[in-house]
Amino acid sequence: EEFNCLIFDGQHILVEITASAGPKTQKRLERKRKVYEQETGMRPARFILAVGSIASRRAQALREAGFEVIEPEEDETLED
C-alpha cells in the first residue's frame, strides 16, 4: 500500500493524493488505515484525501467515514 505519512507535533497524518475517486475509494482508504494501524500500532490522527475529481455524494460519504477530503473548488465566473 502506498500513501504519505506526516508526523507533526506527535500526530500521525496519512495523506492520499489521487486524480479521481471512484466507487472503491472508501474501501481502499479504510484498508490503508487498517494496515497502518496494524503495522505501527498507531491510529492516525487524520487521514487526508486530496483529489482532483470527486462526486459530491462520494466526498460526503468519505467525510462521514472519518476522512478529510480536499477537492478542487468550482471555477468562479470571471467578470470583465
Side-chain angles (χ1 to χ4, degrees), residues 1 9 12 21 26-27 31-32 36-37 51 67-68 72:
E1 298 289 354
D9 241 2
H12 292 230
Q26 185 169 340
K27 285 185 180 185
R31 183 179 66 244
K32 288 182 177 194
Y36 186 82
E37 290 175 7
V51 62
F67 299 98
E68 295 178 46

Side-chain angles (χ1 to χ4, degrees), residues 76-80:
E76 295 181 20
T77 307
L78 297 177
E79 295 181 20
D80 293 337

Side-chain angles (χ1 to χ4, degrees), residues 18-32:
T18 187
S20 63
K24 297 178 183 178
T25 299
Q26 185 169 340
K27 285 185 180 185
R28 187 179 78 243
L29 296 177
E30 289 172 348
R31 183 179 66 244
K32 288 182 177 194

Side-chain angles (χ1 to χ4, degrees), residues 36-61:
Y36 186 82
E37 290 175 7
Q38 289 173 339
E39 293 296 318
T40 65
M42 300 292 297
R43 178 159 177 83
R46 298 168 64 190
F47 197 136
I48 301 169
L49 172 65
V51 62
S53 174
I54 188 169
S56 60
R57 280 195 254 169
R58 183 160 293 124
Q60 185 59 34

